[in-house]
């Protein structure tokens, strides 16, 4: 019952968020600002994690695929597939749910308890749309770019591991990277990230917007936002994979 | 003029406002006073629609505010300005951006016109040159003054102040009180101030409503307070020994 009530509240909030903006120019400016705050500022963490994960996947593949029946280029191939299909979208989304999601929930939650949202409402501003829509738009535009970055940095991490770690010949690794490449995988992973971006921002904003009381409640809202975002991301990952890959 | 008729509001079965009726006049500083937890903030927030009332009606002039739809509510809110207890300035925006926001959203003025209006409002609250400061860089009094500037930037017809001088020293409180009173007279607006500061009550209270345990207990002017025989009001107003002694000398 409580779940249905929360779901209903979420959809009511989304109805407000996607109502016609007061002034498109202001929303455009805010979207640009949010792109920097939510997206641009996540480049470094995404790159660092992707680099090391790419390198680790390469080592693990080299260990596990060590067989005379498996060509060494499979190390590059499996690294690429892992990065493209799952890591660059799902794992990056989980990382961003922690970084961006908690930031959104605490920012909006603090605005709620310090009456900044009430102040916007009194001005006649649709506070839900003004605060949340630019964040949703910015993340849906920018996060797929982080996915592309993650794929690139991940495979570079694997390549560097081959060059300096000696886990496989760099030429074999490169051959594997090009082997049986399906552009549809990129479409699949980017589409997943667009959906995940929407989930992270909207769920986190929902918990922040409905925070009440004091800083303790904002902390709780922030934690809840991250946990729920992660669960919904994993659920949607399963659904989208079923729909898009098992055809 | 704002008229509240038989306002009742409960939270989770607990009645916070019980059948309150009051009229707030244009061009006057109307005060709502009462102890902490008496229901004054809920009443003020009900008047502006932040807390929907359970029963009763609120009229802004001849318009029944409680029956307005989403669009009409948004339109009438553009005639309102509100100063919140903590200022409620947007933390991520500078003083200038905070004051300019309503102009950006609801006017078609050029950037030059907007800046002229922002600077005029900031000068009006004696904050000339503070345009690029952020809320975290302001003192409590400055935050309140920026909130006043933001509240008046669209020339509102109604000004609501929720404990505008809480947390301020007595001298700054007087400055804020007088500023609100001057603005009220200058623009002939309906101002409602929620306070428990007795200096404000005696200094600028033209019409005062005393709320006690969610009910309107007393109504009158600052002069009437001194001669009132209302027990609860007297207990509240003359709570300190100093005030009791001062009253005894009258």
């Amino acid at each position: 019952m409580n779940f249905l009530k929360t779901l209903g509240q979420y959809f009511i909030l989304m109805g407000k968020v996607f109502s016609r903006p007061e002034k498109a120019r202001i929303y455009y400016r805010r979207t640009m600002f949010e792109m920097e705050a939510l997206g641009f500022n996540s480049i470094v963490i995404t790159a660092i994690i992707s680099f090391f994960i790419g390198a680790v996947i390469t080592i693990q593949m080299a260990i596990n695929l060590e067989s005379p029946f498996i060509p060494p280029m499979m190390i590059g191939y499996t690294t690429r597939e892992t990065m493209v299909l799952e890591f660059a979208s799902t794992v990056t989304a989980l990382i961003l749910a922690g970084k961006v999601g908690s930031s959104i929930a605490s920012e909006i939650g603090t605005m709620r308890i310090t009456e900044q949202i009430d102040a916007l409402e009194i001005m006649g501003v649709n506070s839900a749309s003004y605060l949340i829509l630019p964040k949703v738009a910015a993340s849906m535009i920018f996060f797929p770019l982080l996915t592309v970055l993650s794929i690139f940095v991940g495979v570079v991490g694997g390549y560097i591991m081959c060059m300096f770690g000696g886990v496989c010949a760099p030429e074999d690794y490169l051959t594997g990277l090009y082997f049986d490449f399906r552009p549809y995988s990129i479409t699949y992973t980017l589409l997943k990230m667009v959906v995940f971006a929407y989930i992270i921002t909207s769920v986190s904003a929902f918990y922040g917007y409905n925070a009440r009381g004091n800083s303790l409640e904002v902390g709780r809202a922030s934690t809840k936002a991250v946990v729920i975002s992660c669960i919904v991301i994993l659920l949607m990952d399963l659904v989208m994979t079923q729909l898009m890959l098992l055809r | 003029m704002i008229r509240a008729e038989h306002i009742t509001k409960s939270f989770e079965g607990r009645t916070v406002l019980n059948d309150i009726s009051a009229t707030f006049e244009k061009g006057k500083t109307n005060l709502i006073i009462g102890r902490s937890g008496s229901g004054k903030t809920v009443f003020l927030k009900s008047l502006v629609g932040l807390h929907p009332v359970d029963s009763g009606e609120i009229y802004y002039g001849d318009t029944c505010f409680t029956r307005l739809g989403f669009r009409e509510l948004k339109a009438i809110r553009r005639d309102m300005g509100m100063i919140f207890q903590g200022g409620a300035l947007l933390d991520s925006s500078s003083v200038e951006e905070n004051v300019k926001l309503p102009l950006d959203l609801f006017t078609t003025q050029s950037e030059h016109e907007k800046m002229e209006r922002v600077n005029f409002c900031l000068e009006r609250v004696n904050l000339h040159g503070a345009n690029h400061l952020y809320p975290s860089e302001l003192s409590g009094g400055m935050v309140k003054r920026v909130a006043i500037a933001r509240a008046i930037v669209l020339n509102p017809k109604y000004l609501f102040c929720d404990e505008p001088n809480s947390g301020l020293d007595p001298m700054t409180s007087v400055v804020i009180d007088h500023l609100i009173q001057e603005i009220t007279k200058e623009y002939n607006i309906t101002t409602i101030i929620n306070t428990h500061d007795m200096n404000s009550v005696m200094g600028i209270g033209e019409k005062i409503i005393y709320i006690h345990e969610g009910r309107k207990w007393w109504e009158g002017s600052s002069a009437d307070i001194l001669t009132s025989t209302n027990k609860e009001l007297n207990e509240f107003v003359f709570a300190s020994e100093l005030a009791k002694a001062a009253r005894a000398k009258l």
Side-chain angles (χ1 to χ4, degrees):
Chain A
M1 206 61 192
N2 208 18
F3 166 74
L4 287 177
K5 189 181 163 195
T6 308
L7 198 65
Q9 285 172 337
Y10 172 81
F11 283 116
I12 289 169
L13 181 69
M14 287 305 113
K16 276 189 188 172
V17 169
F18 291 104
S19 61
R20 202 164 65 92
E22 271 94 10
K23 253 189 186 173
R25 198 162 51 87
I26 303 286
Y27 278 64
Y28 171 75
R29 217 187 297 159
R30 281 191 53 79
T31 305
M32 290 296 130
F33 172 80
E34 296 296 351
M35 269 199 206
E36 188 196 343
L38 306 179
F40 194 78
N41 291 343
S42 302
I43 286 178
V44 175
I45 181 93
T46 307
I48 290 172
I49 293 171
S50 302
F51 178 85
F52 285 102
I53 293 288
V56 169
I57 289 172
T58 305
I59 298 170
Q60 288 177 350
M61 289 304 151
I63 294 165
N64 288 295
L65 299 180
E66 207 172 16
S67 160
F69 300 106
I70 302 171
M73 64 99 175
M74 287 307 285
I75 296 166
Y77 171 75
T78 46
T79 302
R80 184 201 74 203
E81 288 294 282
T82 311
M83 289 305 297
V84 170
L85 293 175
E86 204 55 22
F87 182 84
S89 51
T90 311
V91 181
T92 304
L94 293 174
I95 294 160
L96 292 174
K99 183 188 176 285
V100 173
S102 62
S103 145
I104 290 174
S106 52
E107 180 195 332
I108 297 180
T110 305
M111 290 184 80
R112 166 64 77 193
I113 64 163
T114 55
E115 297 180 314
Q116 292 175 48
I117 291 179
D118 288 345
L120 287 171
E121 288 289 329
I122 290 298
M123 284 180 216
V125 179
N126 177 351
S127 63
S129 179
Y130 180 78
L131 294 173
I132 303 171
L133 188 58
K135 291 185 196 300
V136 172
S139 64
M140 288 173 80
I141 294 166
F142 206 95
F143 285 8
L145 300 178
L146 291 178
T147 304
V148 175
L149 174 82
S150 173
I151 296 169
F152 177 74
V153 175
V155 295
V156 167
Y159 182 74
I160 288 174
M161 208 56 230
C162 293
M163 275 183 55
F164 300 106
V167 292
C168 90
E171 300 76 36
D172 290 334
Y173 182 82
L174 283 178
T175 310
L177 285 186
Y178 293 116
F179 177 71
D180 193 26
F181 178 71
R182 287 160 292 153
Y184 179 73
S185 301
I186 299 291
T187 310
Y188 158 76
T189 201
L190 291 181
L191 207 61
K192 273 207 306 187
M193 194 46 144
V194 171
V195 174
F196 296 159
Y198 171 76
I199 291 167
I200 293 166
T201 41
S202 66
V203 170
S204 307
F206 169 75
Y207 281 103
Y209 198 83
N210 288 301
R212 293 284 184 276
N214 50 28
S215 54
L216 210 63
E217 292 300 318
V218 175
R220 281 194 193 122
S222 180
T223 307
K224 218 168 184 179
V226 175
V227 172
I228 302 294
S229 296
C230 289
I231 294 170
V232 180
I233 284 168
L234 293 172
L235 192 72
M236 281 311 292
D237 186 30
L238 184 69
V239 172
M240 289 186 76
T241 306
Q242 288 262 353
L243 288 173
M244 296 183 74
L245 292 188
L246 280 181
R247 293 180 305 167
Chain B
M1 190 181 75
I2 298 173
R3 206 167 74 244
E5 291 180 355
H6 308 290
I7 300 300
T8 301
K9 175 73 185 168
S10 305
F11 289 102
E12 291 165 1
R14 195 171 65 88
T15 304
V16 179
L17 300 178
N18 196 348
D19 195 28
I20 295 184
S21 296
T23 304
F24 303 100
E25 291 163 37
K26 193 177 177 184
K28 282 189 177 178
T29 42
N30 302 274
L31 265 59
I32 302 169
I33 63 169
R35 290 180 187 182
S36 298
S38 59
K40 15 182 231 307
T41 297
V42 175
F43 185 45
L44 193 77
K45 288 191 172 179
S46 298
L47 289 175
V48 297
L50 287 174
H51 290 318
V53 295
D54 295 341
S55 65
E57 307 284 8
I58 295 161
Y59 290 90
Y60 279 67
D62 296 326
T63 309
C64 183
F65 180 72
T66 32
R67 289 186 197 164
L68 294 179
F70 183 66
R71 277 178 201 281
E72 294 116 325
L73 195 67
K74 271 179 74 176
I76 203 166
R77 275 184 169 161
R78 285 169 203 170
D79 289 332
M80 293 181 189
M82 185 156 177
I83 300 153
F84 287 86
Q85 206 171 338
L89 302 181
L90 302 182
D91 291 330
S92 56
S93 305
S94 65
V95 165
E96 182 181 294
E97 288 161 348
N98 264 288
V99 179
K100 197 154 80 74
L101 180 65
L103 297 170
D104 283 337
L105 287 165
F106 304 120
T107 69
T108 51
Q109 292 176 357
S110 68
E111 200 58 27
H112 178 71
E113 287 169 325
K114 282 188 235 174
M115 281 315 301
E116 265 190 0
R117 179 70 187 153
V118 168
N119 288 329
F120 171 79
C121 290
L122 287 175
E123 268 178 40
R124 186 69 194 78
V125 297
N126 303 318
L127 274 179
H128 179 68
N131 298 45
H132 302 295
L133 295 176
Y134 278 80
S136 59
E137 298 170 304
L138 304 175
S139 68
M142 286 168 90
V143 166
K144 294 287 166 70
R145 282 186 279 159
V146 176
I148 294 172
R150 185 177 66 182
I152 61 168
V153 76
L154 283 179
N155 281 325
K157 290 180 187 164
Y158 313 100
L159 182 65
F160 301 89
C161 314
D162 186 14
E163 300 193 16
N165 36 29
S166 70
L168 301 180
D169 65 83
M171 281 177 74
T172 312
S173 296
V174 171
V175 171
I176 297 289
D177 282 345
H178 286 150
L179 191 59
I180 293 170
Q181 194 178 35
E182 278 168 28
I183 287 164
T184 304
K185 301 291 175 204
E186 203 173 309
Y187 301 107
N188 194 28
I189 53 185
T190 308
T191 298
I192 303 176
I193 305 171
N194 185 353
T195 187
H196 48 215
D197 184 282
M198 291 320 297
N199 290 328
S200 304
V201 174
M202 302 315 289
I204 61 166
E206 290 176 278
K207 178 168 185 178
I208 301 162
I209 286 165
Y210 174 61
I211 293 182
H212 181 68
E213 292 175 351
R215 285 177 179 273
K216 188 176 87 176
W217 218 257
W218 183 87
E219 189 175 340
S221 67
S222 53
D224 297 334
I225 281 186
L226 298 172
T227 53
S228 166
T229 53
N230 188 297
K231 184 174 163 280
E232 284 76 14
L233 176 73
N234 288 341
E235 277 175 6
F236 169 72
V237 175
F238 305 103
S240 69
E241 290 304 319
L242 190 69
K244 278 176 193 159
R247 195 188 193 206
K249 282 183 186 172
L250 286 171

